[in-house]
Amino acid sequence: MCTKILFQILLSIAIGIFSLNTYADTIEFPEEDLATDTISILTLGILPSQIGLITLAIGETLIGIFLIANWKPRLFIGIAII
């Protein structure tokens, strides 16, 4: 039982750190084009690319913070995987 809880906590923290790192990568590296193109396709061009990129960055940051804080980890691990 204790091992399972420890594993869940470590998994939450690892995915949280990955999400925060992904946010930093989105701003600095050319994956920004992939993210903006994908958002544009999914929203049928209704959402401007910069707003979509900011929304993506905020979402990934919140996922990372909530996972590191271990607040409702099952929910946010599911959201992070999707």
Side-chain angles (χ1 to χ4, degrees):
M1 182 71 174
C2 184
T3 306
K4 184 177 180 181
I5 294 171
L6 181 63
F7 176 74
Q8 288 176 343
I9 292 170
L10 290 175
L11 181 63
S12 296
I13 292 171
I15 294 175
I17 291 170
F18 178 77
S19 293
L20 290 175
N21 186 33
T22 302
Y23 165 70
D25 289 346
T26 301
I27 291 176
E28 297 175 5
F29 294 105
E31 286 89 8
E32 179 179 348
D33 294 333
L34 176 63
T36 55
D37 291 345
T38 303
I39 291 169
S40 178
I41 290 170
L42 290 174
T43 61
L44 302 174
I46 296 171
L47 188 67
S49 61
Q50 291 303 317
I51 293 175
L53 190 61
I54 291 170
T55 305
L56 175 67
I58 291 170
E60 288 185 356
T61 302
L62 288 175
I63 289 171
I65 289 170
F66 287 135
L67 286 175
I68 290 172
N70 202 26
W71 188 73
K72 297 196 179 203
R74 294 183 99 183
L75 173 68
F76 287 104
I77 288 174
I79 292 171
I81 291 174
I82 294 173

